Amino acid sequence: MSQQTLRMVLVFSAEDQAWIRRSSIAIPPFWQGHEVPPAQGDLLRIGGRQFLVRGRVWEHDGEAPTLKLYVGDAHALSDTVFG
């Protein structure tokens, strides 16, 4: 039996997509090699900002399963400096 590779796609808001593109931020392969997929409520740190996984959608394109992860708007709570 061959093992299928689960593909995961992060889905960002239009504003966050623009920020990622402008900042030339590379999205790391967070779950490459892991057997457990991310869950709703998981946090991701990308480019100094954090994103909350708000929803998941499973799809299959005829070749392999895909897990789309819808993330909330970026927050930089721990990176914010006042004064």
Side-chain angles (χ1 to χ4, degrees):
M1 175 185 286
S2 65
Q3 182 181 13
Q4 290 185 333
T5 301
L6 175 63
R7 292 181 292 179
M8 291 186 221
V9 177
L10 293 171
V11 181
F12 296 93
S13 69
E15 182 178 313
D16 289 332
Q17 285 178 1
W19 168 74
I20 290 168
R21 214 175 6 261
R22 280 191 313 271
S23 303
S24 300
I25 294 173
I27 306 299
F30 286 107
W31 294 277
Q32 185 175 358
H34 291 266
E35 294 180 17
V36 179
Q40 192 171 354
D42 283 349
L43 288 172
L44 309 174
R45 298 276 299 163
I46 301 170
R49 296 184 180 185
Q50 73 181 32
F51 297 86
L52 176 69
V53 176
R54 299 191 63 147
R56 305 175 344 149
V57 174
W58 289 94
E59 296 181 345
H60 199 288
D61 63 4
E63 292 182 21
T66 300
L67 177 58
K68 284 189 176 181
L69 301 171
Y70 290 86
V71 297
D73 294 335
H75 295 282
L77 301 176
S78 62
D79 297 343
T80 304
V81 177
F82 297 100

